[in-house]
């Protein structure tokens, strides 16, 4: 019998959930001891008012190291103080003065929007989550 697209997608989703489930206990332990306020997506108990979140932090060395890693990654991969991305086209079309001028304007507009958004703050959080949990999604 041919499975429908819906069945295939549901099967794949369940497989991904099953594979993820083996990591959740590890993630919960890491979050509990390094960044307790960052794991509300792992634990429903976290959201209770008056919950003492930082009780499990024994030594802040891991938290400090994670913040240093986040800062280093942010400064080297997505520095806010210098250009780190540029849109350009390869080939003969990219040599055109009109195309170069247009892409320069687009790059400046994108830089302005990125700078005025919370991209750099969220980028830092992404690097922090990648360092702690191995995933930034």
């Amino acid at each position: 019998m041919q499975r429908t697209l819906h069945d295939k997608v549901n099967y794949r989703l369940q497989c991904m959930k099953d594979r993820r489930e083996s990591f959740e206990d590890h993630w919960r332990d890491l979050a509990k001891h390094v960044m307790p306020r960052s794991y509300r997506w792992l634990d429903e108990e976290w959201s209770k008012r008056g919950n003492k979140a930082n009780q499990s932090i024994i030594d802040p060395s891991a938290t400090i190291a994670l913040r240093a890693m986040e800062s280093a990654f942010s400064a080297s991969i997505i520095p806010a103080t210098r250009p780190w991305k540029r849109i350009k086209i390869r080939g003969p079309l990219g040599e055109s003065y009109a195309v170069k001028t247009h892409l320069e304007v687009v790059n400046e507009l994108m830089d302005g929007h990125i700078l005025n958004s919370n991209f750099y703050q969220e980028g830092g959080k992404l690097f922090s989550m990648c360092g702690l949990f191995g995933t930034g999604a």
Side-chain angles (χ1 to χ4, degrees), residues 37-85:
R37 298 201 181 276
S38 71
Y39 77 107
R40 60 180 164 253
W41 52 274
L42 278 171
D43 191 359
E44 292 80 28
E45 294 291 314
W46 182 91
S47 61
K48 289 185 178 177
R49 291 195 173 269
N51 192 9
K52 296 180 179 178
N54 295 335
Q55 296 295 93
S56 297
I57 297 178
I58 300 165
D59 179 12
S61 298
T63 306
I64 293 167
L66 189 64
R67 287 182 188 153
M69 187 212 73
E70 174 189 332
S71 296
F73 275 42
S74 292
S76 62
I77 297 174
I78 55 168
T81 57
R82 65 180 193 270
W84 53 272
K85 57 113 194 94

Side-chain angles (χ1 to χ4, degrees), residues 111-125:
D111 288 341
H113 286 296
I114 288 171
L115 193 60
N116 292 325
S117 71
N118 67 340
F119 175 80
Y120 291 107
Q121 292 83 6
E122 294 303 315
K125 287 180 189 176

Side-chain angles (χ1 to χ4, degrees), residues 64-108:
I64 293 167
L66 189 64
R67 287 182 188 153
M69 187 212 73
E70 174 189 332
S71 296
F73 275 42
S74 292
S76 62
I77 297 174
I78 55 168
T81 57
R82 65 180 193 270
W84 53 272
K85 57 113 194 94
R86 191 172 81 198
I87 298 174
K88 64 181 184 176
I89 298 176
R90 294 183 185 178
L93 185 60
E95 301 300 319
S96 164
Y97 176 76
V99 171
K100 285 182 180 179
T101 306
H102 176 73
L103 291 178
E104 188 175 316
V105 170
V106 170
N107 278 316
E108 288 174 9

Side-chain angles (χ1 to χ4, degrees), residues 3-18:
R3 291 192 308 174
T4 65
L5 178 62
H6 184 266
D7 293 337
K8 289 178 184 178
V9 169
N10 278 336
Y11 175 76
R12 189 164 185 185
L13 176 64
Q14 189 57 47
C15 288
M16 289 190 293
K17 284 181 178 179
D18 292 343

